[in-house]
Amino acid sequence: MFSRRDIIRLGTASVGTLALRQFGLMPALAQNASDYRALVCVFLFGGNDSNNTVIPTDDASYKAYQSVRGVLAVPMSAMAPVTSVSGAPYGFHTLLKELAGLFSSKELAVVANVGSLVQPVTRAMYQAPQAPVPSNLFSHLDQQAQWQTSIAQGSSVTGWAGRVADYIAAQNINSSSFPTVLSLSGNVLEGAGLHTQSIAMNAGGSLQLSSFNTSAPAQARMNALTSLLTTNNGVALVQAANRVMSMSIDDAKQLANALGKATPFKTTFPGTSLGAQLKQVAQIIQAQSLLGMSRQIFFCSLGGFDTHTGELGTLNGLYPQVSQALAAFYSATQELGVADQVTTFTESDFNRTFQPTSGDGSDHAWGGHHLVLGGAVQGGQIYGKFPTFQLGGPDDTDVRGRWIPTTSIDQYGATLCSWFGIPGSALPTIFPNLANFATANLGFLG
């Protein structure tokens, strides 16, 4: 159950849509259920060492990988082998076996060496004075913010998904005022818009006010609150706040009523935090038509990836959680018949150094590899290119294997948003640096 602070936060989610209604910009335009699309972000907080997520296993690449990674190298016997559409051999970490299977069935793709960029950067450019690189590289908070905003230099009060939500609201794409962005991982910058705000709920929780139920005393309190909110006290600011609160209460009721009509899944979700979050997302997707939603964005997360020491043991605990939860979620979308209408993707602070630390871990780095999953994904392929596995080589910032990204967050996000229905003309307002890159659509979504 949510506290008063939570419901006030929910109220802020409706401020933008309230303003749009007042200006006559939100007629209810019903959307066909077949037009529904959802983006589901899974953020791996701490900086996932994606050097060990998926590995090229041709002789030359694997020898280079093994010689530099040392104690962190995944042996061939501990990989789930796959072959890309191009015929190149790769190996997923063996504890990501469910994801390896989805890659082989062409429902999952890998986007290689993605990171925050202002513009394309070479090693020579990076090492030159006043290089055009993102602010405060290798910092958790800064890189998390840059992934969530796509703003590589400076700061932003809006996230890229929040700016998408602003566009959705302005174009009347959803026939409901229910917020477009919903987080199962607390308040997140990624979903903050100028005119819209994400809402946050706990997996298995409720957005309704605490202590308001069907009992007579609770109903009396609700009637009193409704009376207060609908009383015209002549103060414009208070009236506006009351309308927002009323809408927020309506949103909470709407979600509760919609979820109350959901049917249990045959799919079994793992009993982990990420499993619970994605199960809640699947339940809300099941109820999307009752909520009047044609476009939704969800934010989930798993922490613990800051592996400065003892990395292999830590990833052995985290990777099964990621693989099993994502596979169960995809199975649930198939069960609902919306697998081709829901795309799940990963984000993380940064990759980690290719060279191990003295404590059998790795340090903060830059470009990393990410996963995209769904029925619309052009899977079984690697998009972008892996770095050259050479310390001090052409893709290294220094001599530790901090890979310079060759694909930007802007390109990654723009590809997702193009599939989501955002036209090319609107993409630069969501991803301001997109024009600096030759390719806006990476092609991993059909």
Side-chain angles (χ1 to χ4, degrees):
M1 304 297 284
F2 266 42
S3 65
R4 286 180 297 170
R5 177 178 296 178
D6 294 321
I7 203 70
I8 289 171
R9 182 171 64 225
L10 174 61
T12 65
S14 298
V15 171
T17 49
L18 174 61
L20 292 169
R21 282 176 176 171
Q22 288 176 324
F23 285 100
L25 295 177
M26 287 200 69
L29 299 181
Q31 300 291 319
N32 190 310
S34 65
D35 185 51
Y36 177 77
R37 293 195 174 186
L39 290 172
V40 182
C41 174
V42 175
F43 202 107
L44 307 179
F45 279 105
N48 172 44
D49 189 349
S50 58
N51 297 304
N52 277 10
T53 299
V54 59
I55 303 149
T57 54
D58 61 276
D59 286 344
S61 296
Y62 186 72
K63 285 178 181 177
Y65 164 86
Q66 193 174 38
S67 66
V68 178
R69 288 245 87 183
V71 296
L72 296 184
V74 179
M76 294 284 279
S77 60
M79 291 188 200
V82 298
T83 302
S84 72
V85 169
S86 68
Y90 293 88
F92 279 76
H93 192 291
T94 190
L95 296 177
L96 297 171
K97 59 185 179 182
E98 293 86 359
L99 299 183
L102 289 165
F103 182 90
S104 294
S105 61
K106 300 181 177 58
E107 292 151 311
L108 181 142
V110 175
V111 187
N113 202 14
V114 187
S116 178
L117 287 170
V118 178
Q119 64 180 60
V121 174
T122 64
R123 175 179 168 86
M125 292 170 66
Y126 175 82
Q127 294 182 337
Q130 298 182 336
V133 298
S135 305
N136 300 320
L137 281 173
F138 322 130
S139 155
H140 283 294
L141 291 178
D142 292 282
Q143 297 303 293
Q144 288 169 12
Q146 288 169 27
W147 264 98
Q148 293 187 45
T149 64
S150 83
I151 305 300
Q153 291 181 331
S155 60
S156 175
V157 297
T158 63
W160 67 260
R163 296 193 289 273
V164 171
D166 285 344
Y167 178 87
I168 296 295
Q171 298 298 316
N172 313 313
I173 292 172
N174 287 328
S175 61
S176 166
S177 64
F178 193 82
T180 298
V181 184
L182 194 149
S183 169
L184 278 298
S185 183
N187 284 327
V188 291
L189 179 57
E190 188 154 323
L194 279 178
H195 305 294
T196 58
Q197 179 60 276
S198 65
I199 57 173
M201 67 180 293
N202 295 323
S206 170
L207 287 175
Q208 297 196 88
L209 287 167
S210 300
S211 302
F212 285 81
N213 50 42
T214 58
S215 68
Q219 288 300 303
R221 290 196 301 273
M222 177 57 76
N223 291 338
L225 176 60
T226 302
S227 177
L228 287 172
L229 293 175
T230 56
T231 299
N232 187 348
N233 56 23
V235 181
L237 184 60
V238 173
Q239 290 296 107
N242 286 348
R243 285 196 297 272
V244 169
M245 179 62 77
S246 295
M247 290 172 59
S248 301
I249 293 172
D250 290 342
D251 287 343
K253 287 180 180 178
Q254 187 180 6
L255 180 61
N257 290 337
L259 291 178
K261 296 175 183 177
T263 56
F265 288 107
K266 294 178 182 177
T267 300
T268 300
F269 281 82
T272 59
S273 170
L274 185 57
Q277 292 173 56
L278 288 170
K279 181 178 181 179
Q280 182 74 82
V281 171
Q283 290 169 334
I284 295 171
I285 289 173
Q286 184 183 29
Q288 53 85 15
S289 62
L290 297 174
L291 292 171
M293 305 300 287
S294 290
R295 297 290 185 273
Q296 290 185 285
I297 303 174
F298 299 92
F299 188 97
C300 303
S301 72
L302 180 64
F305 287 89
D306 194 16
T307 50
H308 288 280
T309 59
E311 178 177 308
L312 294 181
T314 300
L315 293 184
N316 285 347
L318 292 172
Y319 276 176
Q321 296 182 54
V322 174
S323 187
Q324 293 166 18
L326 288 178
F329 178 69
Y330 182 66
S331 178
T333 64
Q334 290 179 307
E335 183 181 336
L336 293 172
V338 295
D340 62 344
Q341 297 168 268
V342 179
T343 297
T344 306
F345 60 97
T346 62
E347 296 181 344
S348 191
D349 315 20
F350 36 60
N351 197 1
R352 306 192 73 84
T353 54
F354 205 56
Q355 184 180 58
T357 65
S358 59
D360 296 344
S362 54
D363 282 335
H364 305 174
W366 196 357
H369 319 311
H370 289 276
L371 309 176
V372 187
L373 170 64
V377 173
Q378 305 298 296
Q381 301 186 60
I382 308 294
Y383 293 85
K385 70 183 188 71
F386 274 77
T388 301
F389 293 159
Q390 176 187 348
L391 300 184
D395 298 312
D396 194 355
T397 62
D398 44 43
V399 293
R400 301 190 62 197
R402 284 179 161 137
W403 308 132
I404 298 170
T406 45
T407 296
S408 71
I409 295 170
D410 303 73
Q411 294 170 290
Y412 185 61
T415 306
L416 293 165
C417 289
S418 293
W419 170 83
F420 197 61
I422 305 300
S425 60
L427 288 174
T429 65
I430 298 167
F431 302 100
N433 291 321
L434 186 61
N436 296 337
F437 301 92
T439 303
N441 192 319
L442 302 173
F444 55 76
L445 281 163

